[in-house]
Structure formats: C-alpha cells, structure tokens
Amino acid sequence: MLSTDLRRLHKLAGSRRAFRLGEARDAGVHPEMLRRLAARGDLIRLSRGLYAFPGVEATEHHTLATVASRIPGAVICLLSALRFHGLGTQHPRVIWVAIDRRRAVPKPADLPLRVVRISAGLLTFGVDTHEIEGVAVHVTSPARTVADCFKFRNRVGTDVAVEALREYVRTRKGTPDDLWQCAERLRVLNVIRPYWEGLSA
C-alpha cells in the first residue's frame, strides 16, 4: 500500500518541489499514509499541509508558499511583496496578505500574518502568480505593490511608499504606464504624482 501511494505521489509531484495535502488526497492518498511516509523518511513535511520528497530544501520564499497553501485565494502584498520583488530595504517579520473583505480573517497560530481586507475585484487586478515549491502563490505586481504602499501609507508609512517608488524607478521593475494604471485604479494617482515628479526633476 505504501509503495502504491509513493508512486501516486511521485506522479503527482512530477518536477515540482512540493505538493499539498489536498492534492495528495485528490490523488487517492489518505492523510494517514502521508504521516506514515513522513515517519519512515520517504517524505518530509515542509510545513502544515505541505510535503516534499527528501532532498528538497525550502526556498527563500518558503513561508509565502506555506501561506498560499494554507489560505487559498490570499494575495501576498505590501511589505512582503516589496521583499519578494527586491524593492527597497524592507524585511518584514510578518507576512502581509490581502483577502476578500467579506471573508473571515484567518488566524493560523503558527503563521505571523498582517491581513489587509480589500474588495474582491482588487484581488486579481495587478496580481501575478508565481510557483514556489510547487505551490501557486499570488503576489501583487511591482507596480501594484508601489500603488498599494501609497494607498495604505497610514499602515506602512509614507517613507516606505516613497522608497518603493524610488526603487521601482531605479530598478525598472515595471513601466510608468503600469504604475499609472494601478495608481488610477486604486485612486492614488494624485498622491503619487508629486513624488514621481520630484524623482524625475
């Protein structure tokens, strides 16, 4: 039975680094079998609900993959997205996520989260999907992230927003048009414009 489950899991994982508990269950592997395989050393448990085969090491963005696997539909945003894109000097101790404002706020005890509640329409606008450790992780694009920082400047600080804008321009992580589109949608175009003009002077 264990060998059959191992074959199913190898087929499931393919070239990916990891797989989720729900995916294993859908492939016909009972959660108890995952526990036994992990106890035998045939699998490693990267985090709650996330497994991989031995030899797979956690990546730099392992925590983001964990959040995505535990909170489907969550979008990595603000300071965590800045860190992901290499914009600025932020090293947040918590993971910033955006969720639908109508959804109950998740409170996993083992994940340090800072939750931002937004409308459902903004959960897909300016959001890219990246595969991390075999998990689809939704992250705001560089342009959306900068615009978000200005929109939520009372939460992250205006200095952080301005630094993000400066790095966006310096590193060319996106185009001016990308930024203006996001700023207009988030209604912060007039807030950003003076800082943009100051950088362009």
Side-chain angles (χ1 to χ4, degrees), residues 120-140:
L122 291 178
L123 284 174
T124 55
F125 172 76
V127 173
D128 301 322
T129 301
H130 303 266
E131 185 175 300
I132 302 173
E133 298 179 7
V135 178
V137 180
H138 307 300
V139 185
T140 54

Side-chain angles (χ1 to χ4, degrees), residues 90-104:
Q90 299 304 309
H91 295 275
R93 295 182 178 179
V94 298
I95 305 298
W96 289 74
V97 297
I99 65 169
D100 190 326
R101 62 165 51 119
R102 297 168 298 181
R103 181 179 176 181

Side-chain angles (χ1 to χ4, degrees), residues 21-95:
L21 172 62
E23 293 174 320
R25 186 186 295 114
D26 292 342
V29 181
H30 192 277
E32 175 61 21
M33 288 299 177
L34 291 179
R35 188 191 68 77
R36 292 182 185 179
L37 289 168
R40 266 187 12 170
D42 293 314
L43 288 178
I44 55 174
R45 184 174 180 266
L46 295 175
S47 61
R48 181 180 173 187
L50 191 63
Y51 293 85
F53 288 101
V56 173
E57 296 181 0
T59 66
E60 176 189 0
H61 303 299
H62 169 70
T63 308
L64 303 187
T66 300
V67 170
S69 68
R70 299 269 296 280
I71 311 173
V75 176
I76 306 301
C77 65
L78 293 166
L79 302 192
S80 295
L82 287 178
R83 175 69 175 161
F84 180 82
H85 293 302
L87 290 171
T89 57
Q90 299 304 309
H91 295 275
R93 295 182 178 179
V94 298
I95 305 298

